[in-house]
Amino acid sequence: MPPRLAVLASVLGAGALLLAGCANPSTGSATDDPTKPVTLKFWHGWSEKNEVKAIDASIARFEKLHPNIKVKTTGNVTDATLNQALRAGGDDAPDVASSFTTNNVGQYCSSGMWADLDPFMKKTGLDKHKVFPKTLLDYTSYDGDQCALPLLADAYGMYYNKDAFKEAGISRPPRTMSELKRDAVKLTKRAKSGGYERVGFMPNFRLYQNSPDRLFAQWGPTYFDKDGKARLAKGSAAKDFFATTRDLVKSQGGYGPLEKFRTSFGDEMSSQNAFLTGKLAMHMDGEWRGLFMKGAKFKWGTAPLPVPDDQPETYGRGYLTGTVIGIGHSSKHQNAAWELVKFLTADTDQVVSFANAIHNVPSTKAALTSPKLDPDPTFRAFLDIAQNRYSTALPASINGGQYVVSLQDFSYGVEEGKEPDLNKGLRELDKEIDADNLQAQN
């Protein structure tokens, strides 16, 4: 699933609901008999026709295995709507819920609105450490509370125009940031008007999926110390990251011209996407982009994003995120709900079938190595990224993605040249993040 364009707004909206008085959510029951007839309510965010068809097929497979359990699905549900219903509780609230917003897991768990899944796993013999990759477990838990499980994942890598590479005499995708700069310059084509026909690699943070945290993952950053304090100003990762993006921008003509070119691009999910139309020679995106490349008029490939020059051993890494699923704390059918969650997340054939259907990365160790997975090599590059031991996900926070929003706002200022003293700016950013976290705790 492509992360929705309104994810950050959803983060803040859901956060406001969570922090506005849901410390004591309605309590459901985990004493129900999952072999008895029951109807479960499952809310999810998928809305595209092919995605809805895939989730409906998944539910049909589950109901065939569990004929006593019927599932009523509701799609296209935002986090704000979901959390409002869970806060209110009652018979209208969902028994099972999924979300595209991994940044909100810290709130789901700490608020108590999503039930702790560890007792259900223990009761049914599911060893989460054997089933799920560690990084995916990390972004579905908070402070020791496993209130969610991964339901497919997304991995970020590089799409590149093979024809443009051949034309520029480049034999393979760049593996280090210095190679990325070199190749980006070679691949950039200026127009006679002074603008651009094509940009090698545009790092501008307002471009499509270019939220700064995604490219920043290539540095393996540590956002918080062991005491939960922001530490972006410490160490060299953030400074090197911004120095690299500034250098990429400068070497290809500067922020103003690049930003002007960016505003001419078509919609991300349309046939006028800038990479699809040849306006970008290299582009950061997720595994789902391959589904939108069928009309490309050039040969294209995929590869991991480059890594810092002083970390060549980490090449192959990438940013990971994905869909999460959990049980509403107010559900009176939590054991039956667990049967659905367990099937959707841990049944290998189901996970593989669902992943193939919507072109997402499988979220279990067994499914990632299944011979039944889509054999397309452009897709398998993302499977390798998902399994790379250096790949990272954002850490959970009590106020969800607020620190990501703060980083994004700061990054806009950096690329626009409004942060002349980067060290000072990063220290102020850390203070802002710490103050927001403290406010959420009180």
Side-chain angles (χ1 to χ4, degrees):
M1 104 298 297
R4 283 12 184 196
L5 300 181
V7 160
L8 291 177
S10 175
V11 168
L12 292 176
L17 286 169
L18 281 165
L19 297 173
C22 46
N24 297 299
S26 300
T27 301
S29 172
T31 60
D32 60 302
D33 184 346
T35 66
K36 299 294 184 182
V38 66
T39 297
L40 298 176
K41 294 180 288 295
F42 172 37
W43 289 12
H44 62 80
W46 285 287
S47 59
E48 194 272 327
K49 183 178 179 181
N50 181 60
E51 296 171 337
V52 173
K53 180 180 178 181
I55 197 67
D56 287 347
S58 299
I59 297 303
R61 289 190 287 270
F62 171 77
E63 290 180 336
K64 185 175 181 180
L65 290 173
H66 300 268
N68 63 298
I69 303 177
K70 302 302 178 185
V71 181
K72 181 180 179 181
T73 61
T74 301
N76 199 23
V77 178
T78 67
D79 276 30
T81 299
L82 169 63
N83 291 323
Q84 188 173 30
L86 289 174
R87 182 179 61 172
D91 293 337
D92 293 330
D95 299 284
V96 176
S98 72
S99 166
F100 299 134
T101 315
T102 57
N103 296 349
N104 276 342
V105 168
Q107 295 176 321
Y108 301 150
C109 295
S110 63
S111 69
M113 288 198 304
W114 287 37
D116 182 5
L117 299 181
D118 276 324
F120 297 96
M121 287 186 273
K122 183 177 181 181
K123 186 161 46 177
T124 56
L126 190 153
D127 186 335
K128 63 183 181 182
H129 299 292
K130 291 183 179 179
V131 174
F132 304 103
K134 181 182 182 302
T135 303
L136 275 59
L137 283 178
D138 288 345
Y139 72 59
T140 51
S141 64
Y142 176 73
D143 199 21
D145 184 352
Q146 191 78 51
C147 73
L149 285 176
L151 178 58
L152 301 191
D154 291 318
Y156 281 73
M158 173 181 285
Y159 286 78
Y160 66 101
N161 184 325
K162 289 185 174 181
D163 291 349
F165 268 56
K166 184 177 180 179
E167 175 191 305
I170 304 171
S171 61
R172 60 165 174 77
R175 296 173 183 170
T176 64
M177 291 298 166
S178 61
E179 289 182 354
L180 175 62
K181 176 187 171 183
R182 179 200 66 197
D183 292 348
V185 171
K186 287 183 178 180
L187 291 160
T188 295
K189 295 179 69 174
R190 303 301 294 254
K192 292 181 179 179
S193 63
Y196 296 93
E197 290 183 14
R198 182 179 69 209
V199 166
F201 178 83
M202 183 178 284
N204 296 41
F205 297 127
R206 288 180 171 85
L207 170 65
Y208 300 158
Q209 296 293 322
N210 278 21
S211 178
D213 49 296
R214 292 166 187 167
L215 184 57
F216 192 24
Q218 299 308 104
W219 276 258
T222 300
Y223 284 86
F224 302 100
D225 63 23
K226 61 182 179 60
D227 297 318
K229 297 292 186 181
R231 49 151 295 139
L232 291 171
K234 298 178 180 178
S236 62
K239 300 178 187 67
D240 289 348
F241 165 62
F242 286 117
T244 298
T245 55
R246 279 172 163 171
D247 206 20
L248 279 165
V249 168
K250 182 179 179 181
S251 67
Q252 295 174 95
Y255 175 74
L258 286 177
E259 187 64 7
K260 182 179 179 180
F261 189 51
R262 183 193 67 81
T263 60
S264 72
F265 294 168
D267 183 76
E268 177 185 2
M269 298 301 172
S270 76
S271 61
Q272 295 305 304
N273 175 281
F275 179 70
L276 181 59
T277 54
K279 293 181 178 180
L280 298 173
M282 297 180 283
H283 180 52
M284 179 178 69
D285 217 327
E287 76 289 335
W288 65 85
R289 176 57 51 195
L291 289 177
F292 295 82
M293 292 301 298
K294 291 182 172 39
K297 297 180 180 180
F298 55 87
K299 294 179 181 179
W300 58 277
T302 58
L305 287 161
V307 296
D309 286 43
D310 62 351
Q311 301 182 45
E313 73 282 0
T314 67
Y315 179 69
R317 77 184 329 166
Y319 173 90
L320 304 181
T321 185
T323 303
V324 300
I325 188 170
I327 298 172
H329 194 269
S330 60
S331 172
K332 295 181 173 62
H333 315 290
Q334 292 181 12
N335 287 317
W338 166 245
E339 291 300 321
L340 176 59
V341 171
K342 183 176 66 172
F343 173 75
L344 292 176
T345 62
D347 183 285
T348 301
D349 286 342
Q350 159 58 25
V351 173
V352 171
S353 295
F354 193 29
N356 284 341
I358 66 172
H359 213 66
N360 278 184
V361 174
S363 43
T364 68
K365 295 177 181 178
L368 278 165
T369 58
S370 171
K372 298 179 182 178
L373 271 178
D374 187 340
D376 181 353
T378 61
F379 177 56
R380 288 196 168 265
F382 293 94
L383 302 184
D384 292 339
I385 293 170
Q387 296 177 82
N388 187 285
R389 66 190 182 99
Y390 293 106
S391 291
T392 61
L394 286 171
S397 173
I398 193 170
N399 62 354
Q402 183 57 51
Y403 74 94
V404 183
V405 176
S406 296
L407 173 63
Q408 186 177 69
D409 289 342
F410 176 77
S411 301
Y412 291 159
V414 172
E415 70 178 3
E416 291 171 15
K418 296 178 180 178
E419 292 287 347
D421 189 335
L422 189 57
N423 288 319
K424 180 181 177 182
L426 287 169
R427 289 195 297 270
E428 292 298 319
L429 175 61
D430 282 345
K431 290 179 182 178
E432 177 184 331
I433 292 170
D434 288 341
D436 288 339
N437 285 341
L438 182 61
Q439 182 178 13
Q441 294 168 3
N442 295 332

